[in-house]
Amino acid sequence: METISISKNKKFFGTLCGIGAAVCYGTNPLGARLYEEGMTPNNVLLWRFGLAWLIIAVVMLFRKEKLAVSKKEFATLSALGLLFWASSITLYVSFQLMAVGVASTLLFVYPVLTAVIMAVFFKEKLTWSTVSAIVLSFVGVMLLYWSPDGGRLSALGVLLVLISALTYAIYIIVMNRAHLEMSSFKINFYVLIYCAMGNLLMSLCTGQGLQVPASATGWFYVGWLAVVPAILALVMMVYAAKYIGSTPTAIMGALEPLTAVLIGVFLFGEVFTVRLAFGIVLIFSAVIIVALYSNRKKYTVG
């Protein structure tokens, strides 16, 4: 009975972390504000991940955590780092080719990709609750950003967002399946090294050079990106993927574009419509289904 109680607590904690990670990651589009200062996607992400890595390194120093890992763990951490870097850089480049809201909508195919990969390669059963949650969240996200104006989308932009969605889905799955026995800080210490170094190399190899934020506002956004959608989101993502699984964690990602919409409404004075309200209701319904399903699963004693 004690093991069952512990398992339920972990599921509940994992659900809260999934919600928290999605909300934090949903503030990611604020990074596009740095483009107004002439910064390139590589440089924006270099500062974001570099500062986040430095903060985590300091935290680990105070926690007196050892950096040593096995060869198998290093291989897994390397894969996670490369996947998250690929997902981030493709998404940020797409922000230059299409509206942030449109890119955020297209990105939300990753819960579907996650569910399909888990079903095909890992034989995870697609239950009615999972399918219902995916449908509700997908329709809800579409309502958040749907516009009757139409217009053509950049083919390259769409391709980049789909690559971002696929690599993010695989990232969540690897995080769930790897069963890394180390703290989330240690995991992300290595993940962020790959992200920072990847963007540094791209900046140098493409001749973009190193750019520094030109204003206090720019530094604010760099700090925000480092702490909220990087450190907080990544740390909570580790626990969510570990305790509730890949597919539920991905579905909760519907809160990411919802967060972006609410930021627009409350901080930038965008109009709140009935369509937005209906989309929000659908997304919250999907999250509630995932939360209830994750915490009602049967647990084995042992």
Side-chain angles (χ1 to χ4, degrees):
M1 293 299 293
E2 183 177 353
T3 302
I4 295 176
S5 177
I6 293 175
S7 297
K8 288 183 177 180
N9 289 335
K10 287 182 177 179
K11 291 287 182 181
F12 179 70
F13 179 67
T15 299
L16 292 181
C17 285
I19 293 172
V23 171
C24 289
Y25 201 73
T27 66
N28 211 29
L30 288 174
R33 286 296 184 90
L34 289 165
Y35 295 161
E36 298 173 6
E37 297 192 1
M39 294 187 69
T40 64
N42 285 331
N43 276 278
V44 171
L45 290 175
L46 171 60
W47 283 103
R48 170 191 174 186
F49 292 129
L51 181 58
W53 175 83
L54 182 61
I55 294 173
I56 284 186
V58 172
V59 171
M60 289 187 63
L61 182 64
F62 278 100
R63 287 165 57 96
K64 297 181 179 180
E65 287 195 51
K66 296 180 179 179
L67 297 179
V69 294
S70 66
K71 291 182 179 179
K72 182 179 179 180
E73 289 172 335
F74 182 75
T76 302
L77 292 168
S78 297
L80 287 171
L82 291 172
L83 285 167
F84 197 77
W85 169 76
S87 179
S88 299
I89 188 61
T90 49
L91 180 62
Y92 266 63
V93 173
S94 77
F95 287 164
Q96 293 184 313
L97 301 172
M98 63 176 68
V100 172
V102 176
S104 298
T105 303
L106 294 174
L107 179 67
F108 200 68
V109 300
Y110 78 81
V112 178
L113 295 174
T114 303
V116 171
I117 293 172
M118 290 299 295
V120 173
F121 294 99
F122 300 101
K123 310 303 179 184
E124 181 179 88
K125 293 182 178 180
L126 288 176
T127 63
W128 71 268
S129 57
T130 299
V131 174
S132 299
I134 289 175
V135 172
L136 286 173
S137 59
F138 189 79
V139 174
V141 171
M142 292 297 291
L143 285 173
L144 293 185
Y145 292 115
W146 175 80
S147 172
D149 298 333
R152 297 181 62 182
L153 295 178
S154 163
L156 178 58
V158 171
L159 177 61
L160 288 172
V161 176
L162 292 179
I163 293 174
S164 179
L166 178 60
T167 49
Y168 191 47
I170 298 174
Y171 171 84
I172 295 174
I173 292 171
V174 172
M175 184 69 74
N176 170 248
R177 305 293 296 185
H179 303 297
L180 292 169
E181 296 298 327
M182 61 183 72
S183 74
S184 59
F185 290 105
K186 187 172 182 177
I187 291 173
N188 289 303
F189 175 87
Y190 285 97
V191 169
L192 290 170
I193 284 179
Y194 279 94
C195 292
M197 292 304 296
N199 288 292
L200 175 61
L201 290 175
M202 282 198 68
S203 294
L204 296 177
C205 292
T206 57
Q208 296 175 7
L210 299 180
Q211 298 172 309
V212 178
S215 66
T217 302
W219 280 109
F220 168 78
Y221 282 120
V222 166
W224 181 276
L225 292 175
V227 174
V228 182
I231 294 176
L232 294 180
L234 287 173
V235 168
M236 288 188 284
M237 176 69 73
V238 171
Y239 292 112
K242 181 178 180 180
Y243 293 145
I244 65 175
S246 306
T247 303
T249 299
I251 295 173
M252 286 186 175
L255 293 173
E256 294 169 18
L258 172 57
T259 301
V261 167
L262 293 179
I263 287 175
V265 171
F266 290 106
L267 295 185
F268 302 111
E270 295 179 2
V271 179
F272 186 81
T273 64
V274 175
R275 172 172 54 82
L276 289 181
F278 190 47
I280 290 172
V281 170
L282 291 180
I283 289 173
F284 274 122
S285 298
V287 172
I288 290 172
I289 289 175
V290 171
L292 292 176
Y293 172 73
S294 296
N295 289 288
R296 286 182 178 178
K297 291 177 69 176
K298 293 182 179 180
Y299 304 96
T300 57
V301 179

